[in-house]
Amino acid sequence: MADVDTQPLPAPLEEAPPEQTGPELKLAEPLPQDILQPESPEPEPLQAEIPVAAAAPLAQTAAAEPPGLPLQFLNQLLQKLGATRLQSLADLLPAARILALAVLAGIALRLTGATLGAINEIPLLGGLLELVGLVALLNFLARNAFKQQKRAELLERIRQLRRNLLS
C-alpha cells in the first residue's frame, strides 16, 4: 500500500458574488398613472333608430302615386281578370298563353345567367370573350358611325325596323 500515489485534490472553485454574475440589468421606470388610464372610461353607447314599417296596401288607391311599370301592368291585368265573366275555360286561354310566355322568358333568363356565370369562371375565357366583343363593337362603329352617309343609312334602317315591329 505504500505504492499508492497520492495526488493533491484540486482547490474548490470560488463562487463569484451574485452581483457580478452577468451584465447589469436595469429595470424600466414605471409609467405615470395618467398615461395608463384611458381618456374616457366608458364608451358612448351607439344610438340607432330603426323605423317601423307600415303595412303595405293590397290595392292601389287613386291618391297614391302610380306604381312602376311591372306593378302597374300586373295590377291592370288582375283588374281585367276580375272584371271578366268566364263562360268557359277557353276564355282563360289568352291569359294562360301570356303566363306561359312569362315563365319561359324567366327560365331562359335564368339559363342564360347560369351559362354566362359558368363561362366567366373559366380562366381567360371571360376576358377573351369581352375582348372579342369590344373588337366587334369598334369594327361596327368604324363601318357605320364615322361617315355621315353611313350614319344616315344606319338610322334609316333602325327606323324601318321600329316601324315593322310596332305596326
Side-chain angles (χ1 to χ4, degrees):
M1 288 204 153
D3 293 341
V4 177
D5 291 326
T6 58
Q7 295 184 0
L9 292 174
L13 295 175
E14 294 182 23
E15 292 185 13
E19 64 236 13
Q20 296 177 359
T21 57
E24 187 174 330
L25 296 176
K26 291 185 180 179
L27 298 176
E29 296 176 6
L31 293 174
Q33 288 297 325
D34 59 342
I35 293 177
L36 295 176
Q37 296 295 327
E39 290 183 18
S40 61
E42 303 176 357
E44 295 180 16
L46 297 175
Q47 297 287 331
E49 292 183 21
I50 300 174
V52 178
L58 295 177
Q60 296 291 331
T61 59
E65 292 183 14
L69 184 63
L71 292 177
Q72 187 178 18
F73 174 73
L74 285 176
N75 197 8
Q76 288 175 357
L77 181 64
L78 289 175
Q79 286 175 357
K80 287 180 183 178
L81 283 177
T84 58
R85 295 183 181 252
L86 300 176
Q87 303 296 329
S88 68
L89 289 178
D91 294 340
L92 279 179
L93 193 58
R97 283 183 184 157
I98 291 173
L99 184 63
L101 285 175
V103 167
L104 287 175
I107 291 172
L109 284 174
R110 187 86 177 218
L111 285 174
T112 303
T115 304
L116 290 176
I119 287 173
N120 199 26
E121 292 294 321
I122 299 172
L124 297 177
L125 188 60
L128 182 64
L129 289 176
E130 286 181 22
L131 183 63
V132 168
L134 183 63
V135 169
L137 175 69
L138 291 176
N139 188 16
F140 176 81
L141 289 176
R143 283 187 290 124
N144 295 313
F146 285 147
K147 296 182 181 175
Q148 183 179 2
Q149 182 183 4
K150 293 285 188 173
R151 280 196 307 264
E153 290 175 9
L154 178 63
L155 290 175
E156 184 58 36
R157 277 191 278 166
I158 291 172
R159 286 188 197 111
Q160 184 66 29
L161 286 173
R162 190 182 305 157
R163 274 187 243 127
N164 289 343
L165 289 176
L166 295 178
S167 60

